[in-house]
Amino acid sequence: MKPKTLFEKIWDRHVIDQPEGKPAILYIDLHLVHEVTSPQAFEGLRLAGRKVRRPDLTIATMDHNVPTTNRSLPITDPISKKQMETLAKNCKDFGIRFFDLDSPQQGIVHVIGPELGLTLPGKTIVCGDSHTSTHGAFGALAFGIGTSEVEHVLATQCLQQAKPKTMEVHFKGRLPKGVTAKDAILALIAKIGTAGATGYVIEYTGEAIEHMSMEERMTICNMSIEAGARAGMIAPDETTFQYLKNRPFAPKGEEFERAVREWKELRTDEGATYDHRVEIDASQIAPQVTWGTSPGMGTDITKSVPDPASFATETERKSAELALEYMGLVPGTPMTEIKIDRVFIGSCTNSRIEDLRAAAKVVEGYQVAPHVKAMVVPGSQQVKKQAEQEGLADIFIAAGFEWRESGCSMCLAMNPDVLQPGERCASTSNRNFEGRQGRGGRTHLVSPEMAAAAAIKGHFTDIREWKYLGKERETHATT
Amino acid sequence: MQPLRQETGIVTPLDRANVDTDAIIPKQFLKRIERSGFGQFLFYDWRFDSKGNPDPSFVLNQKKYEGSSILLARENFGCGSSREHAPWSLLDYGFRVIIAPSFADIFYNNCFKNGMLPIRLTSEQVDQLFQKAYRDQPYQLTVDLVEKSVYDQEGLKFFFEIDEYRRTCLLEGLDDIAITLQSEEKIAKYEEKLPDYYAIAAK
């Protein structure tokens, strides 16, 4: 038999039809739905008189719009409120399981899928959200789709898909101390560019990846889309299986053992080839900070804001000039001298329990700088609860952070959490586009540790030189 | 879906690389539950100042480009968020064709679902079009999906490549859900063999 990549194994297994001269018809095992990209899809079904084919394989929650302050208060934005009510009604009308705002399972869709054990190795997973690539961390083929495709999956449980190409991104060696999965993926994007993986599904391999926790792997796969990739994936291993064991929707007992035996086959065969390969020396990666308005515009914390003239092409030079103008930065400024006004720790990239533990460890014993407004937004109600039980919330609150309810929050600022024009933010999210966190807002993407340290110092600082004041605390396996 | 065979229109040049879907339609406008009415918000933060007044320096506010139906852009157009509100806003504003050296995947795909045609030309060809579109008089192009070409009245003509299936769907305005449903039997048969451990029930 011809050796196959991880991607090809999952792809081949899910192609139910390959009509002559047409794209493949790919079966979808799990469809995640949220309030922003679904209303028009449900409306389309109604207009065409179609039903949801597999409501049992469809799961909905709300995350983008939701306020992260007191949940007992009414939602003040009438249009947001209407969008949320529309999702609730659509789920009711079409018989879809729905984790509402007051549900203990509510959270960012890419946080709750894994934590509930809905995300499993070998599945095809889609959602009307580009960061669906997150779920690839479990050895699933997961990608974002538009609203028309949401409607398509609701109606048929399938998608028409042209087969993407494959790319291996190999992180050789180990990440140095203080350097995180976030730094690794930002370094990759800085290297290959935001369109570097367009048309490809990335498989991440190498020692650095193998040693990562599931949370770290999710951070890596999450930002695959920021390199233009259709999806990112990592072969499942013991770390994956341990994470999934006893999750609410994961198989149990005998069934779990049987599933694990099958999942162990989900790795790239020896001799299988990728269409493209990139290698990165993980041991040489430094903590990253972005300086521009695209996730690829990033550099090491030890370096300075680049001079647009230093770029190779006219397009790059012009992009850098526009970016620096928007960001209000002067070439040659050391990254450590950039002062910040706000800190956002959250988003589907970095709002899981490990992220909060890492940030809390930095913060413990310190106070947020007087001129900085900082907030922590857990990815889900479960993460929030766990962080409170572990005492992390107390550490953040004592240091002067705001401690919020779960949601997308300031990652895209569709809710009341918004930057003011000119405000500069150290953010653990995934996009530093113009206006992403609020019109005129200036976003610098960093790891949770780097964001936490920036909150304390009031400017960026090299986390590798941080003086930890807190006691060494036990880290527990996530529940 | 409205078919598209040929489109003749004025070209609007948007000279920026990596235009993301947040720029095409900022998030505060994603709360509507309809597909229509998004054109007024297209490129909002570039088109209007913070008080909501049109910024005369932005191309869409220049008289020369009024009524344009062809948008000319740079590399990696439509990157970022998967929001289909981006093509909805472009279409509702009046654009049916977007020409660029490259597009982000999800955006590219979303265009076809809405009867819009994204065309990839080489960077050199796109450069030539930019120069023409910047002249004082409105620059008009014709896009012909039947013969897969782009041409003007001055003898310029480029051919482009496009997936045959996408082309057919666009030429005929086909509903692709109906096409997938032609494989219904195969879907049902496949479903009989789904791994039981993928069933979603609290266990």
Side-chain angles (χ1 to χ4, degrees):
Chain A
M1 224 167 46
K2 184 177 171 287
K4 287 181 179 178
T5 61
L6 167 63
F7 162 75
E8 286 165 334
K9 287 182 183 181
I10 300 175
W11 174 269
D12 289 352
R13 207 174 280 185
H14 287 83
V15 171
I16 65 139
D17 204 358
Q18 179 69 75
E20 181 78 24
K22 290 183 189 170
I25 298 181
L26 194 72
Y27 195 80
I28 303 303
D29 294 315
L30 173 64
H31 186 190
L32 301 167
V33 171
H34 67 82
E35 78 277 20
V36 179
T37 57
S38 67
Q40 295 87 352
F42 285 108
E43 196 50 31
L45 288 186
R46 285 197 184 89
L47 288 171
R50 289 173 175 139
K51 287 193 177 115
V52 175
R53 182 178 179 88
R54 295 297 300 261
D56 59 321
L57 302 181
T58 312
I59 300 277
T61 191
M62 40 189 158
D63 52 9
H64 283 63
N65 255 335
V66 304
T68 58
T69 45
N70 194 341
R71 287 272 157 91
S72 59
L73 298 173
I75 291 161
T76 50
D77 177 348
I79 319 173
S80 285
K81 187 161 178 270
K82 187 171 178 200
Q83 199 170 52
M84 292 189 246
E85 286 168 355
T86 303
L87 179 64
K89 182 179 185 313
N90 284 332
C91 289
K92 191 161 175 282
D93 288 358
F94 290 94
I96 292 167
R97 193 189 300 254
F98 174 48
F99 298 120
D100 202 350
L101 209 50
D102 54 8
S103 158
Q105 279 88 26
Q106 182 271 342
I108 304 176
V109 68
H110 309 309
V111 175
I112 70 168
E115 87 184 354
L116 294 174
L118 292 162
T119 302
L120 295 174
K123 274 191 180 182
T124 44
I125 302 173
V126 297
C127 174
D129 190 285
S130 60
H131 291 111
T132 310
S133 57
T134 311
H135 307 264
F138 292 80
L141 174 60
F143 52 92
I145 55 178
T147 299
S148 295
E149 289 188 315
V150 170
E151 184 181 339
H152 199 120
V153 178
L154 289 172
T156 68
Q157 202 58 29
C158 293
L159 271 179
Q160 297 179 3
Q161 285 289 302
K163 191 176 179 177
K165 292 177 284 185
T166 55
M167 180 187 292
E168 180 186 19
V169 172
H170 186 83
F171 285 97
K172 78 169 190 201
R174 298 279 292 271
L175 290 172
K177 203 168 183 311
V179 178
T180 67
K182 182 64 164 288
D183 302 305
I185 189 67
L186 284 172
L188 171 72
I189 301 164
K191 181 183 163 92
I192 69 172
T194 51
T198 301
Y200 290 92
V201 168
I202 298 176
E203 182 183 345
Y204 299 97
T205 63
E207 200 188 339
I209 299 289
E210 286 159 21
H211 281 88
M212 282 181 188
S213 66
M214 287 318 296
E215 279 86 350
E216 292 173 292
R217 293 178 190 185
M218 284 188 254
T219 300
I220 294 271
C221 288
N222 172 275
M223 288 191 71
S224 302
I225 180 72
E226 260 55 70
R230 196 87 185 94
M233 55 205 311
I234 293 170
D237 59 9
E238 267 321 303
T239 307
T240 322
F241 308 141
Q242 281 309 314
Y243 178 98
L244 288 171
K245 203 167 188 174
N246 299 322
R247 299 266 161 189
F249 291 94
K252 301 278 159 21
E254 270 293 294
E255 203 178 38
F256 183 76
E257 300 307 322
R258 180 162 56 84
V260 166
R261 281 197 296 278
E262 292 180 25
W263 293 339
K264 283 183 175 166
E265 303 295 316
L266 293 172
R267 28 197 344 104
T268 294
D269 295 327
E270 198 149 328
T273 52
Y274 301 88
D275 296 306
H276 189 67
R277 189 172 191 273
V278 174
E279 189 173 282
I280 293 189
D281 186 349
S283 69
Q284 297 302 308
I285 298 173
Q288 300 288 301
V289 184
T290 62
W291 50 265
T293 53
S294 162
M297 294 173 167
T299 190
D300 298 355
I301 180 67
T302 50
K303 294 188 176 157
S304 302
V305 175
D307 184 345
S310 68
F311 289 93
T313 69
E314 181 55 33
T315 304
E316 281 175 299
R317 282 192 288 274
K318 197 177 162 211
S319 296
E321 271 168 27
L322 286 170
L324 291 187
E325 191 189 327
Y326 180 85
M327 294 295 289
L329 290 174
V330 179
T333 310
M335 298 309 288
T336 50
E337 283 178 18
I338 298 173
K339 262 181 84 172
I340 53 153
D341 310 299
R342 303 281 294 265
V343 171
F344 169 59
I345 298 178
S347 88
C348 58
T349 313
N350 281 126
S351 65
R352 297 180 180 82
I353 191 70
E354 268 198 6
D355 300 315
L356 303 194
R357 284 181 191 138
K361 209 171 144 190
V362 173
V363 165
E364 193 166 11
Y366 287 101
Q367 285 293 311
V368 169
H371 69 277
V372 173
K373 196 175 161 207
M375 63 199 257
V376 182
V377 185
S380 70
Q381 287 300 306
Q382 292 202 42
V383 169
K384 178 170 186 263
K385 198 172 136 201
Q386 191 177 350
E388 285 168 353
Q389 284 167 351
E390 291 183 16
L392 307 180
D394 293 338
I395 295 174
F396 286 120
I397 293 165
F401 279 82
E402 288 181 40
W403 179 249
R404 297 293 190 90
E405 300 290 336
S406 55
C408 297
S409 183
M410 215 207 282
C411 174
L412 87 167
M414 262 192 89
N415 40 67
D417 307 337
V418 181
L419 288 184
Q420 296 307 306
E423 275 189 330
R424 191 178 296 288
C425 181
S427 178
T428 66
S429 57
N430 39 56
R431 289 185 176 137
N432 50 351
F433 298 152
E434 278 189 23
R436 171 83 178 181
Q437 295 192 299
R439 185 171 181 148
R442 295 161 171 167
T443 305
H444 296 268
L445 304 176
V446 285
S447 71
E449 289 89 327
M450 288 282 286
I456 306 301
K457 293 277 187 188
H459 57 81
F460 292 110
T461 187
D462 191 336
I463 192 67
R464 293 172 298 186
E465 292 157 12
W466 193 252
K467 190 169 179 305
Y468 288 88
L469 300 181
K471 55 183 184 302
E472 274 301 313
R473 52 183 59 240
E474 287 277 313
T475 51
H476 312 271
T478 49
T479 53
Chain B
M1 187 175 84
Q2 201 189 340
L4 189 149
R5 301 182 73 79
Q6 203 183 59
E7 174 68 29
T8 298
I10 294 168
V11 179
T12 299
L14 182 65
D15 197 0
R16 288 181 78 129
N18 299 307
V19 171
D20 56 76
T21 54
D22 273 87
I24 298 173
I25 182 155
K27 70 269 167 190
Q28 63 268 35
F29 307 117
L30 307 185
K31 296 175 183 176
R32 296 160 60 94
I33 57 170
E34 302 85 16
R35 265 177 203 260
S36 55
F38 287 101
Q40 55 189 313
F41 310 123
L42 177 67
F43 295 122
Y44 193 88
D45 288 358
W46 290 344
R47 221 166 116 201
F48 303 101
D49 66 20
S50 53
K51 293 190 183 82
N53 301 312
D55 174 351
S57 69
F58 187 63
V59 278
L60 290 193
N61 294 325
Q62 295 168 16
K63 198 147 182 53
K64 180 166 65 160
Y65 303 118
E66 230 169 64
S68 165
S69 65
I70 299 173
L71 184 68
L72 183 64
R74 297 287 186 187
E75 290 83 359
N76 200 27
F77 187 82
C79 60
S81 157
S82 62
R83 59 188 69 165
E84 201 162 315
H85 310 69
W88 292 339
S89 61
L90 287 160
L91 185 66
D92 191 57
Y93 184 87
F95 290 115
R96 289 218 68 194
V97 175
I98 303 165
I99 300 174
S102 59
F103 294 89
D105 268 349
I106 304 177
F107 176 83
Y108 184 77
N109 200 26
N110 282 341
C111 284
F112 287 99
K113 309 284 181 193
N114 292 282
M116 289 170 71
L117 174 60
I119 296 176
R120 295 188 191 106
L121 294 178
T122 66
S123 295
E124 294 70 32
Q125 290 169 333
V126 168
D127 268 340
Q128 278 190 50
L129 295 179
F130 264 102
Q131 281 169 24
K132 287 177 178 254
Y134 275 142
R135 295 185 309 206
D136 291 340
Q137 294 305 311
Y139 173 60
Q140 196 162 291
L141 261 185
T142 298
V143 170
D144 189 328
L145 185 55
V146 180
E147 66 161 28
K148 297 186 275 187
S149 72
V150 171
Y151 59 87
D152 66 13
Q153 297 304 315
E154 303 158 19
L156 173 146
K157 188 166 188 171
F158 299 138
F159 288 93
F160 61 88
E161 285 180 26
I162 179 172
D163 173 75
E164 240 352 86
Y165 174 70
R166 290 188 194 274
R167 177 169 164 267
T168 311
C169 286
L170 200 48
L171 284 172
E172 296 173 26
L174 298 179
D175 168 9
D176 61 358
I177 293 179
I179 296 173
T180 297
L181 287 174
Q182 289 168 3
S183 301
E184 243 254 75
E185 269 180 39
K186 286 184 178 165
I187 300 174
K189 212 165 156 204
Y190 181 87
E191 286 179 328
E192 288 170 15
K193 295 184 301 181
L194 285 178
D196 43 6
Y197 51 77
Y198 280 174
I200 299 167
K203 289 167 189 157

